Amino acid sequence: MEITVRTTDLLKELLLIQGVVERKTTIPILSQLLVEAGGDGQIHLAATDLELAISTNCPAKIKKSGSGAVPARKLLDYVRLLPDADLSIKLLENHYVQLRCGRASTRMVGMSRENFPELAAFPSTPPARIPGAVLARMIRKTIFAIASEEARYTLNGAQMVLKPESIALVATDGHRLAHVADDHTAIEGVPAEIRCLVPRKAMVELQKLIDELPEGGTVEFGQDETNLFFSLPLAGGGRRVLAARQLTGQFPNYEAVLPKDNARVCVLPSEPLTQALRRVAQFADERSHAVKLRLEKDHLTLTSSSSEAGEADEELDTPYQGEPMVIGFNSQYLLDFLAVAGSEEVRLELKDEQSAGQFRPQGGDGDQYRYIVMPMRI
Amino acid sequence: MSWSDILLPPAVREQLAGLAAGAERNRTLLLSGPPGVGKTTSALALGLALNCRQPPAPGDFCGACLSCREFAGWDAVQAQLEQALSYRQEQVRTRAKEAAPLQVRLHPQILYFPPDGDFLSMAQAREIARLAYLRPDPGRHWMLIVPGFDQARWMVQNALLKLLEEPPPDATLALLAVQPAELLPTVRSRCLAIPLPPQPEPVMAEWLATRRPEVRADDRHMLLRLAQGAPGRALSLDLADWRARRQTLFQLLQATLMTSHYDRLFPLTENLRLSKEEIEITAEILYSVLQDLLYLKSGRSSAIQNSDSRERLSGWAREISWEQLELAVEQLDRLLRGLRRNLHRTLAWDAWALRVRMAAAGA
């Protein structure tokens, strides 16, 4: 293989791919990047950590086609130090890779292409087409609620529900649940309902890929029995494809826990609530982050106390007219929601001190966004 | 290559092939038996059978299909393990054991998690669970092999309980143990126990003649005895190395049992200032010698393992008393237990030799 590529073009793709390169591994081939040069004026790059795989293209002048595995991190570290110029990459004997850029030259120790894991191909069935902006927004609104506990693997991802007329994403860690649905966006290529579990790591990488998508771009989605595939078009032709191994197991029946009769409603301004929560949380217990919300006629009082730090309280005005009540929540959970709610005001809907509270943006971007948090006994 | 080419007790072979063929699979197995008896081989073969694309018979594997060809090889474990360790040492410098849990990929779906240091680490246990809950490649099945699980700390065993209780449908976990009784009862109760008994000597003799034809007949006989029905051990045992190590031990035994000069004793124990692994090998040789002395004293001379030193051992067997022999074994057990707690190696051998010597002097 012998090719010439622009360093800036290559660097852009290398940066996107690094998220799935397994740097800390005892399986050496997983720290390598697969480079393939065909006859289409593009080089094909791919990396995998056995859970995720990303493949992408980069325009190149191809003198001789071929393929090889190159240490991904070393290649990135080297290329990012090069100026914007042509870089020639040549595969030598014994899997050595020679790089030349201007007067700089290096030889890297690569590995045999044969050892590189086989990458799953995008299924041949017609893909679903999801607007990139919608998907990115929904990921942002749910990703923080995904469990990081190792013991509950089915919660280590978000459930995506695709219907011809809507898309929804749900994530929970057992203490809180974020549910977002867009009923206004038609999803092309979805003949019937599709439900799948998208692993958290895949959502992180997908978000990075969508950020590079031109405005109005769509993400093509497909799945086979093992993988979920997200394919995004590249400006210069070709596609970036993220393949994520599906998690086994059933996502819990979350619909059963969605509150139905939380009649005590108060509407609060997002920004003042965020600021007040941040201040009060300073004095919350370091492990539980618990804050108390006292609802009374026309105002809400936030309080916290810890034996070591001291105590704090802060009052906010709200047009609340219901019965007084006190309820405890993890302040960090509330701040996570407020950071992505995307509205000037939020609705807090409660039933009693022992039942889950529901938070929703008041107005906002049109998404049906619900955030359910279990209360804390304080 | 198929099940019929692997030396396993027929009942075990049938059970494993049945597991691979069955629609309902028990997916947590506890394969137990002495070192070299075939635990790893059984688990690898089961992994191949579960993934074979063209099984010649239900539950068997062909050795020729795409999946079988992706297998790194029966002898690849050690080489790949060494490669993994050296790669990690070079590449992952900070908190390497936690950041890069030790694993060896022998096939796209067959992963092997050897003890990282002395035990399976918590990071490895987490990695096993993480992988098990991911879907394997289409039409394939994960086989996750955990050797030496009886050495794993209880905390680590507990970390896998949920996975052992309800393994995902596309994953089989093979726990390998020399001493299954050392495992938590909660682990044992969640696994299908498959004990692998040693092979009968005639079966081993026939098999070894085809596998190591270059070995002289008398050496092969000794190999058979030393392997004690474990095919893996018969294949890997280096007789020249065994004899060299045994010579050092013979000198020590001679000095311990027959000499009253302590100044001759301690220079000999200096020679045993070895690494922990080497001490375990040395202790194994010493056990075999002590067992031979026991056989000779009880008139079962045909059962001895170190058959090439029959004369010397017979002489010692006449000299040594039953009490001395019992004490020597007890003290060796104690030495090995102490080594696991990082006892000073030379001092441990000094103490062993002194106690046995004092008992001999007392007698």
Side-chain angles (χ1 to χ4, degrees), chain A residues 130-260:
Chain A
I130 310 167
V134 172
L135 190 55
R137 198 172 67 226
M138 295 178 101
I139 291 174
R140 208 167 42 245
K141 287 180 176 178
T142 49
I143 195 166
F144 58 86
I146 295 176
S148 50
E149 235 179 285
E150 288 101 8
R152 308 175 75 180
Y153 282 88
T154 52
L155 302 185
N156 287 177
Q159 177 165 264
M160 184 164 76
V161 184
L162 292 176
K163 292 180 186 171
E165 71 290 351
S166 69
I167 172 172
L169 223 52
V170 194
T172 180
D173 61 5
H175 304 286
R176 54 181 168 167
L177 181 145
H179 175 275
V180 60
D182 184 332
D183 300 337
H184 312 297
T185 306
I187 310 296
E188 290 173 39
V190 183
E193 183 181 282
I194 298 173
R195 279 177 188 253
C196 57
L197 260 174
V198 189
R200 173 211 280 273
K201 198 173 173 190
M203 288 169 74
V204 172
E205 295 306 319
L206 183 58
Q207 214 164 13
K208 286 185 205 164
L209 296 180
I210 295 174
D211 287 346
E212 295 293 320
L213 203 61
E215 208 175 315
T218 56
V219 177
E220 291 188 354
F221 169 78
Q223 64 174 330
D224 62 18
E225 58 181 289
T226 297
N227 292 292
L228 305 175
F229 298 88
F230 298 90
S231 170
L232 298 88
L234 271 161
R239 301 191 77 85
R240 293 188 183 116
V241 179
L242 172 72
R245 244 177 231 276
Q246 297 193 52
L247 296 166
T248 54
Q250 288 290 313
F251 194 74
N253 178 17
Y254 66 91
E255 274 131 351
V257 300
L258 295 178
K260 289 176 182 68

Side-chain angles (χ1 to χ4, degrees), chain B residues 114-131:
Chain B
D116 200 354
D118 289 338
F119 319 105
L120 186 80
S121 70
M122 186 57 92
Q124 286 177 294
R126 290 195 187 112
E127 181 66 8
I128 290 166
R130 187 185 73 86
L131 272 170

Side-chain angles (χ1 to χ4, degrees), chain B residues 219-242:
Chain B
D219 280 353
R220 211 154 51 219
H221 177 72
M222 190 173 154
L223 264 182
L224 273 179
R225 286 296 167 83
L226 292 173
Q228 297 192 312
R233 197 169 145 72
L235 280 185
S236 60
L237 208 101
D238 179 350
L239 270 187
D241 180 62
W242 176 278

